[in-house]
């Protein structure tokens, strides 16, 4: 399982009203996750809200990176269904279960 909708970097920039070079900076700073598909960097649409990057995503990405996850592994973890959430961690970040997602990500490092 994975994202159902992907956005290119210009799409992300347009959606949240920032320059595309700022979107690239967010990816470099690990505040946003992008993966290359067919030579094009893409961001899961689930990671973008009306206000910008989904609120708790940068913290979860930092925790996953600190636990040794690369971008592909972090993406896989975020989109692996978990019946105890229920749903995926990516979906839970958009709801009221973001703290639980962060707690579970922190547990991966130990």
């Amino acid at each position: 399982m994975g994202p159902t909708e992907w956005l290119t970097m210009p799409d992300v920039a347009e959606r949240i009203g920032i320059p595309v070079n700022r979107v690239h900076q967010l990816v470099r700073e690990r505040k946003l996750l992008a993966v290359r598909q067919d030579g094009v960097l893409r961001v899961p649409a689930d990671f973008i809200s009306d206000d910008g990057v989904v609120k708790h995503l940068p913290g979860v990405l930092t925790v996953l990176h600190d636990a040794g996850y690369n971008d592909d592994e972090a993406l896989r973890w975020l989109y692996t269904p978990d019946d105890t959430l229920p749903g995926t961690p990516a979906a839970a970040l958009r709801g009221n279960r973001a703290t639980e997602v962060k707690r579970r990500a922190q547990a991966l490092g130990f």
Side-chain angles (χ1 to χ4, degrees), residues 9 12-34 41 43 47-49 51-55 57-59 61-62 71:
M9 304 304 258
V12 173
E14 183 178 328
R15 212 176 258 202
I16 61 178
I18 62 174
V20 74
N21 63 336
R22 178 71 180 119
V23 177
H24 285 278
Q25 183 178 351
L26 290 171
V27 172
R28 282 192 306 274
E29 294 172 349
R30 295 190 184 276
K31 294 180 180 174
L32 184 61
L33 182 72
L41 272 177
V43 173
F47 294 169
I48 305 300
S49 71
D51 301 322
V53 175
V54 169
K55 183 177 179 182
L57 179 66
L61 291 176
T62 297
D71 289 347

Side-chain angles (χ1 to χ4, degrees), residues 1 4 15 18 30-31 34 42 45 47 52 56 58 62-64 68 72 75 78-79 91-92 94 101 103 105:
M1 186 167 187
T4 56
R15 212 176 258 202
I18 62 174
R30 295 190 184 276
K31 294 180 180 174
R42 299 181 191 275
F47 294 169
H56 295 282
T62 297
V63 169
L64 290 173
D72 290 330
L75 186 69
L78 285 163
Y79 282 94
R94 296 183 69 87
V101 172
R103 187 193 66 73

